[in-house]
Amino acid sequence: TQYEWAAPVVPGASSGEEVLAAALRRWFEPVLEAKDLAFARAETARKADCGLQHLTFWRRRAEPAPEAEALVPRAERAAKQASACVGQAVYDEDAVVAQYLDFHYDP
């Protein structure tokens, strides 16, 4: 599936979509049901690719979700620990993903 990346362990999450939702939950709320969209892409005249793309639809919150505020001190500690990591391993920490989302999608 498209969720085969090395995701952080999220208690109660059994799929990549649930891990993604847990990562976005602090600053985003879902607005529509997830949808699979067929696609076809031609790289050259003889080489093409086709498949399904899984789409999720989110709306940015004006304020962080109240239940997410309890995670902030833990997130700060994890960010300090993650600073010792390099490469893709940095994104294994919840705090790093949260900081990345805040930086790129903060109002």
Side-chain angles (χ1 to χ4, degrees), residues 25-103:
R25 187 174 296 127
R26 180 174 182 211
W27 280 103
F28 293 87
E29 60 186 345
V31 292
L32 296 171
E33 290 294 319
K35 181 178 182 178
D36 289 331
L37 180 67
F39 72 91
R41 176 177 64 105
E43 288 186 34
T44 67
R46 296 181 183 203
K47 185 176 179 185
D49 192 16
C50 63
L52 286 177
Q53 183 138 4
H54 188 72
L55 302 174
T56 57
F57 303 91
W58 301 84
R59 179 182 298 134
R60 175 92 159 110
R61 298 175 194 266
E63 298 292 325
E67 66 273 5
E69 290 301 316
L71 302 176
V72 172
R74 188 186 80 177
E76 291 172 358
R77 278 181 287 163
K80 289 178 185 174
Q81 293 171 350
S83 64
C85 297
V86 293
Q88 191 65 28
V90 171
Y91 297 101
D92 292 343
E93 296 292 331
D94 294 346
V96 175
V97 174
Q99 183 178 5
Y100 180 86
L101 291 171
D102 287 346
F103 179 79

Side-chain angles (χ1 to χ4, degrees), residues 1-5 7-26 28 30 34 54-56 58 94 97 101:
T1 71
Q2 57 273 40
Y3 294 110
E4 290 178 355
W5 35 268
V9 176
V10 176
S14 61
S15 70
E17 188 173 357
E18 291 173 359
V19 173
L20 177 66
L24 295 178
R25 187 174 296 127
R26 180 174 182 211
F28 293 87
H54 188 72
L55 302 174
T56 57
W58 301 84
D94 294 346
V97 174
L101 291 171

